[in-house]
């Protein structure tokens, strides 16, 4: 069982690494690449700062030069990532530096075999920052180069080749490690995709009325507020149409609640068909619907409401083989009046107009 304190510390470390790598908002897949990439870069910078003086004073000047190049490349890549929304080129740069360094350890391992152990690090780097497909390609390319360098004759390399048992064990362990990392990375990507899909489903469910498929009250209020902000910038206006099905209880009493739900779904589809894609019809509650008409004044909203009212009068329904006569709706309209207006007052005006229409005998359109 995981320790909550430890999990919290790891989460804070991940956030700190992402913040260090980029001040931008990153997509989940990019964050999945960015965290190990920055961790590798920081580890590389620290390692090079430690080993560069050691190799210099030990007289390993070729290795010292490689350490300096790696240090400069790591710092430059980290600075580049801070400005990039996508780190594709940076990730390949990290991979190429690792290939160069680890290839040199294979060559040096022909004299001192302990250097050769670094060859097991690149696959983890490749898969974590390049993804499963590019990571597999980079791992197999590195593998082919290392086997060639390990088996190359002394006449070419100037040093004795690795023994056959060492090469055989290396091939077995490297390929096993590569395919394990491939499976792990594939599983992580599937998990990220599943989380993203579940998040999208949750967001959709939280903004959609489950019966009619229209926006719900919460979603429409958010959209109206967004339109208020846009209206202030562009000096446009919008109109709200609040509609209520007349005598809907009679439909439920005569045909049952399932038939009533079918009528609500049919009315919702009709409302959706009668407005533009940029407009937003929503189920406001029960048998009430609220429509926001973008960049539409009261006169334009009146024409839309009358068109919907006429279509409803002409539309009958059939549910489970039983004919249901057309239903009618009463509509109340209000136009947003600008910065001096509020969402609540705009909706209240439409509601008051709707109430007036009900008192006049229903099946009518009234403007506030």
């Amino acid at each position: 069982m995981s320790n909550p304190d430890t999990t919290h510390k790891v989460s804070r470390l991940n956030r700190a690494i992402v913040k260090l790598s980029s001040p931008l908002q990153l997509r989940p897949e990019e964050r999945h690449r960015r965290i190990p990439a920055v961790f590798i870069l920081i580890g590389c910078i620290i390692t090079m700062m430690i080993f560069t003086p050691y190799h210099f004073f030990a007289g390993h000047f070729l290795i010292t030069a490689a350490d300096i190049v790696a240090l400069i490349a790591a710092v430059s890549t980290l600075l580049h990532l801070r400005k990039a929304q996508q780190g594709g080129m940076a990730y390949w740069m990290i991979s190429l530096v690792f290939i160069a360094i680890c290839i040199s350890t294979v060559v040096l391992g022909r004299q001192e075999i302990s250097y050769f152990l670094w060859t097991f690090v690149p696959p983890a780097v490749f898969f974590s920052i390049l993804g499963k497909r590019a990571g597999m390609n980079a791992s197999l390319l590195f593998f082919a180069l290392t086997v060639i360098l390990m088996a190359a004759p002394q006449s070419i390399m100037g040093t004795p080749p690795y023994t056959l048992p060492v090469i055989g064990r290396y091939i077995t362990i490297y390929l096993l490690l590569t395919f394990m990392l491939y499976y792990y990375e594939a599983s992580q990507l599937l998990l990220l995709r599943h989380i993203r899909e579940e998040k999208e489903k949750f967001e959709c469910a939280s903004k959609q009325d489950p019966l009619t498929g229209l926006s719900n009250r919460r979603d429409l209020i958010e959209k109206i507020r967004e339109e208020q902000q846009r209206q202030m910038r562009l000096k446009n206006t919008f109109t709200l149409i609040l509609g209520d099905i007349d005598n809907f209880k009679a439909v439920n009493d005569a045909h049952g609640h399932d038939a009533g739900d079918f009528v609500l779904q049919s009315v919702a589809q009709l409302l959706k068909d009668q407005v533009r894609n940029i407009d937003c019809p929503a189920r406001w509650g029960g048998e009430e619907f609220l429509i926001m008409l973008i960049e539409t004044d009261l006169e334009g909203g009146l024409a839309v409401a009358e068109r919907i009212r006429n279509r409803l009068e002409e539309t009958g329904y059939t549910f489970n083989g039983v004919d249901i006569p057309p239903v009618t709706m009463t509509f109340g309209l209000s136009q947003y009046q600008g910065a001096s207006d509020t969402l609540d007052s705009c909706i209240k005006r439409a509601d008051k107009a709707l109430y007036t229409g009900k008192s006049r005998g229903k099946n009518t359109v009234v403007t506030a």
Side-chain angles (χ1 to χ4, degrees):
M1 186 174 180
S2 62
N3 188 324
D5 292 337
T6 303
T7 303
H8 182 63
K9 289 178 181 178
V10 172
S11 178
R12 285 196 302 175
L13 176 62
N14 287 345
R15 288 197 297 268
I17 291 175
V18 172
K19 188 175 181 181
L20 175 65
S21 66
S22 175
L24 306 173
Q25 185 69 30
L26 303 175
R27 296 179 59 194
E29 292 82 359
E30 178 63 22
R31 192 183 304 114
H32 179 62
R33 303 275 176 263
R34 191 68 61 96
I35 290 175
V38 173
F39 188 80
I40 289 167
L41 288 171
I42 293 174
C44 182
I45 291 170
I46 295 173
T47 302
M48 294 303 105
M49 290 177 67
I50 293 172
F51 280 96
T52 298
Y54 169 77
H55 289 141
F56 178 78
F57 291 112
H60 301 152
F61 300 118
L62 182 61
I63 301 177
T64 301
D67 290 342
I68 294 173
V69 171
L71 178 60
I72 295 173
V75 172
S76 301
T77 305
L78 185 59
L79 293 175
H80 168 74
L81 281 177
R82 286 190 57 80
K83 302 176 182 178
Q85 188 78 47
Q86 297 288 335
M89 291 299 297
Y91 302 152
W92 275 107
M93 186 181 299
I94 295 170
S95 301
L96 292 173
V97 170
F98 259 88
I99 288 175
I101 293 174
C102 292
I103 285 293
S104 66
T105 63
V106 174
V107 176
L108 295 171
R110 292 169 69 101
Q111 301 177 51
E112 171 51 60
I113 198 167
S114 62
Y115 283 109
F116 137 83
L117 296 176
W118 284 99
T119 56
F120 294 109
V121 175
V125 174
F126 298 151
F127 282 108
S128 64
I129 65 177
L130 295 179
K132 63 177 184 178
R133 182 174 298 177
M136 175 63 79
N137 293 335
S139 294
L140 294 179
L141 173 63
F142 178 75
F143 170 72
L145 293 174
T146 55
V147 171
I148 292 171
L149 291 173
M150 291 171 73
Q154 184 173 352
S155 59
I156 296 177
M157 302 297 296
T159 53
Y162 290 79
T163 63
L164 289 178
V166 171
I167 295 176
R169 293 188 189 102
Y170 168 72
I171 291 173
T172 302
I173 296 172
Y174 187 96
L175 291 178
L176 180 63
L177 176 65
T178 297
F179 286 102
M180 287 175 62
L181 289 169
Y182 177 85
Y183 174 76
Y184 174 78
E185 181 61 24
S187 301
Q188 289 293 303
L189 292 177
L190 285 174
L191 178 61
L192 281 175
R193 188 176 301 128
H194 175 72
I195 292 173
R196 184 177 65 251
E197 290 173 354
E198 289 300 311
K199 180 181 178 182
E200 290 173 354
K201 288 179 183 177
F202 176 78
E203 289 178 348
C204 182
S206 68
K207 295 181 177 181
Q208 191 177 70
D209 175 60
L211 178 63
T212 63
L214 298 179
S215 292
N216 59 19
R217 180 187 290 249
R218 173 186 172 185
D219 185 43
L220 182 58
I221 288 175
E222 289 181 4
K223 290 179 177 178
I224 292 175
R225 285 175 176 159
E226 290 174 2
E227 187 60 23
Q228 282 181 294
Q229 297 299 319
R230 198 173 78 93
Q231 191 272 343
M232 290 179 185
R233 295 194 307 269
L234 303 179
K235 305 302 180 183
N236 293 325
T237 189
F238 61 88
T239 294
L240 298 181
I241 302 178
L242 182 61
D244 183 84
I245 300 177
D246 299 324
N247 305 316
F248 184 69
K249 185 176 181 299
V251 177
N252 284 330
D253 292 343
H255 304 282
H257 288 282
D258 288 343
D261 289 345
F262 173 73
V263 170
L264 286 173
Q265 292 171 334
S266 301
V267 170
Q269 186 60 50
L270 186 148
L271 296 178
K272 190 175 181 179
D273 292 340
Q274 293 300 311
V275 297
R276 303 163 299 178
N277 290 333
I278 63 171
D279 299 324
C280 184
R283 188 182 181 192
W284 195 241
E287 60 269 24
E288 274 193 331
F289 296 86
L290 183 62
I291 306 171
M292 177 174 62
L293 300 177
I294 307 296
E295 298 182 5
T296 304
D297 58 16
L298 205 57
E299 184 178 353
L302 179 62
V304 173
E306 283 289 355
R307 184 174 70 243
I308 294 173
R309 190 186 66 80
N310 290 328
R311 286 298 304 273
L312 283 168
E313 280 188 319
E314 301 167 356
T315 304
Y317 310 98
T318 301
F319 179 74
N320 288 341
V322 178
D323 291 335
I324 302 174
V327 297
T328 61
M329 288 184 73
T330 302
F331 298 94
L333 279 70
S334 66
Q335 179 179 322
Y336 181 66
Q337 302 297 329
S340 60
D341 202 358
T342 65
L343 172 60
D344 287 341
S345 62
C346 190
I347 294 175
K348 284 179 180 177
R349 291 197 304 274
D351 186 61
K352 186 176 180 179
L354 172 64
Y355 180 79
T356 300
K358 291 287 188 179
S359 65
R360 290 180 181 174
K362 305 176 183 179
N363 190 24
T364 187
V365 179
V366 178
T367 59

